[in-house]
Short mmCIF file of all heavy atoms in Angstrom, two decimals:
data_model
loop_
_atom_site.label_atom_id
_atom_site.label_comp_id
_atom_site.label_asym_id
_atom_site.label_seq_id
_atom_site.Cartn_x
_atom_site.Cartn_y
_atom_site.Cartn_z
N ALA A 9 -57.58 -3.65 -2.22
CA ALA A 9 -57.62 -4.18 -3.58
C ALA A 9 -56.45 -5.11 -3.82
O ALA A 9 -55.37 -4.92 -3.27
CB ALA A 9 -57.57 -3.02 -4.58
N PRO A 10 -56.64 -6.19 -4.63
CA PRO A 10 -55.58 -7.17 -4.86
C PRO A 10 -54.27 -6.54 -5.32
O PRO A 10 -53.19 -6.89 -4.84
CB PRO A 10 -56.18 -8.09 -5.93
CG PRO A 10 -57.65 -7.94 -5.76
CD PRO A 10 -57.89 -6.55 -5.34
N GLY A 11 -54.33 -5.60 -6.26
CA GLY A 11 -53.10 -4.98 -6.75
C GLY A 11 -52.41 -4.19 -5.65
O GLY A 11 -51.20 -4.24 -5.48
N ASN A 12 -53.23 -3.45 -4.88
CA ASN A 12 -52.65 -2.68 -3.79
C ASN A 12 -52.04 -3.58 -2.72
O ASN A 12 -51.03 -3.25 -2.10
CB ASN A 12 -53.70 -1.78 -3.15
CG ASN A 12 -54.12 -0.64 -4.06
OD1 ASN A 12 -53.38 -0.30 -4.98
ND2 ASN A 12 -55.29 -0.06 -3.82
N ALA A 13 -52.68 -4.72 -2.49
CA ALA A 13 -52.16 -5.67 -1.50
C ALA A 13 -50.78 -6.17 -1.91
O ALA A 13 -49.87 -6.31 -1.09
CB ALA A 13 -53.12 -6.85 -1.35
N LEU A 14 -50.60 -6.43 -3.21
CA LEU A 14 -49.30 -6.91 -3.71
C LEU A 14 -48.24 -5.83 -3.52
O LEU A 14 -47.11 -6.11 -3.09
CB LEU A 14 -49.43 -7.29 -5.18
CG LEU A 14 -48.15 -7.81 -5.85
CD1 LEU A 14 -47.67 -9.08 -5.16
CD2 LEU A 14 -48.41 -8.09 -7.34
N ILE A 15 -48.61 -4.58 -3.83
CA ILE A 15 -47.67 -3.47 -3.69
C ILE A 15 -47.28 -3.28 -2.23
O ILE A 15 -46.10 -3.14 -1.89
CB ILE A 15 -48.27 -2.16 -4.25
CG1 ILE A 15 -48.43 -2.28 -5.77
CG2 ILE A 15 -47.41 -0.96 -3.89
CD1 ILE A 15 -49.18 -1.11 -6.39
N GLN A 16 -48.32 -3.33 -1.35
CA GLN A 16 -48.04 -3.15 0.07
C GLN A 16 -47.17 -4.28 0.62
O GLN A 16 -46.31 -4.07 1.46
CB GLN A 16 -49.35 -3.06 0.86
CG GLN A 16 -50.11 -1.76 0.60
CD GLN A 16 -51.35 -1.65 1.47
OE1 GLN A 16 -51.54 -2.45 2.38
NE2 GLN A 16 -52.18 -0.66 1.18
N ASN A 17 -47.43 -5.50 0.11
CA ASN A 17 -46.62 -6.64 0.56
C ASN A 17 -45.16 -6.47 0.14
O ASN A 17 -44.24 -6.74 0.91
CB ASN A 17 -47.19 -7.93 -0.03
CG ASN A 17 -46.45 -9.15 0.50
OD1 ASN A 17 -46.38 -9.37 1.70
ND2 ASN A 17 -45.90 -9.95 -0.42
N LYS A 18 -44.94 -5.97 -1.09
CA LYS A 18 -43.57 -5.75 -1.56
C LYS A 18 -42.89 -4.67 -0.72
O LYS A 18 -41.72 -4.77 -0.38
CB LYS A 18 -43.58 -5.35 -3.03
CG LYS A 18 -43.90 -6.50 -3.98
CD LYS A 18 -43.85 -6.03 -5.42
CE LYS A 18 -44.11 -7.20 -6.39
NZ LYS A 18 -44.06 -6.75 -7.80
N ARG A 19 -43.67 -3.62 -0.40
CA ARG A 19 -43.10 -2.56 0.41
C ARG A 19 -42.74 -3.08 1.80
O ARG A 19 -41.70 -2.73 2.37
CB ARG A 19 -44.11 -1.41 0.54
CG ARG A 19 -44.26 -0.59 -0.75
CD ARG A 19 -45.32 0.48 -0.56
NE ARG A 19 -45.46 1.28 -1.78
CZ ARG A 19 -46.40 2.19 -1.96
NH1 ARG A 19 -47.31 2.41 -0.99
NH2 ARG A 19 -46.46 2.87 -3.10
N PHE A 20 -43.62 -3.92 2.35
CA PHE A 20 -43.36 -4.49 3.67
C PHE A 20 -42.09 -5.34 3.65
O PHE A 20 -41.25 -5.23 4.55
CB PHE A 20 -44.55 -5.34 4.12
CG PHE A 20 -44.31 -6.06 5.41
CD1 PHE A 20 -44.34 -5.37 6.62
CD2 PHE A 20 -44.05 -7.42 5.43
CE1 PHE A 20 -44.13 -6.03 7.81
CE2 PHE A 20 -43.82 -8.09 6.61
CZ PHE A 20 -43.87 -7.38 7.81
N VAL A 21 -41.95 -6.17 2.62
CA VAL A 21 -40.75 -7.00 2.50
C VAL A 21 -39.52 -6.14 2.36
O VAL A 21 -38.47 -6.40 2.95
CB VAL A 21 -40.90 -7.97 1.30
CG1 VAL A 21 -39.58 -8.69 1.05
CG2 VAL A 21 -42.01 -8.97 1.55
N SER A 22 -39.63 -5.05 1.55
CA SER A 22 -38.49 -4.15 1.36
C SER A 22 -38.08 -3.47 2.66
O SER A 22 -36.91 -3.38 2.98
CB SER A 22 -38.84 -3.11 0.29
OG SER A 22 -37.79 -2.18 0.14
#
Side-chain angles (χ1 to χ4, degrees):
N12 290 340
L14 180 61
I15 293 172
Q16 289 184 10
N17 184 57
K18 287 182 178 180
R19 287 177 179 172
F20 175 75
V21 172
S22 176

